[in-house]
Amino acid sequence: MTERGTGHLRVVQAVNAMHFLEVVTEGFLHITTIYDKDEARGAYPAVHSRHFGLLGQPIVTHSRASARPRGEATCI
């Protein structure tokens, strides 16, 4: 929930990943994907994207990381 509206989170299970899609009424879209564990690294590869607009212009950010079972994140 935001000051101006509500957001919805949808979780989609894929064959080798879990997708989290958040859509907020202000027009924001956030997508996070966490992939199955990379046994060689002992971590779960993940990507996160944010889509929104600012002053009428589209803005997109994207980041990659690896999530560890203890909740620690390591940027790659």
Side-chain angles (χ1 to χ4, degrees), residues 16-20 31-39 41-50 61-69 71-76:
N16 67 336
M18 182 83 68
H19 305 291
F20 299 88
I31 304 167
T32 302
T33 300
I34 302 174
Y35 294 93
D36 288 346
K37 187 175 184 179
D38 177 350
E39 296 296 337
R41 297 181 61 207
Y44 297 84
V47 293
H48 180 75
S49 296
R50 292 177 182 223
T61 65
H62 182 79
S63 59
R64 297 179 355 174
S66 292
R68 303 236 184 258
E72 299 173 6
T74 305
C75 291
I76 55 174

Side-chain angles (χ1 to χ4, degrees), residues 2 4 22-30 50-53:
T2 67
R4 294 176 23 189
E22 179 186 21
V23 180
V24 181
T25 54
E26 289 96 325
F28 303 149
L29 172 64
H30 298 171
R50 292 177 182 223
H51 305 230
F52 58 98

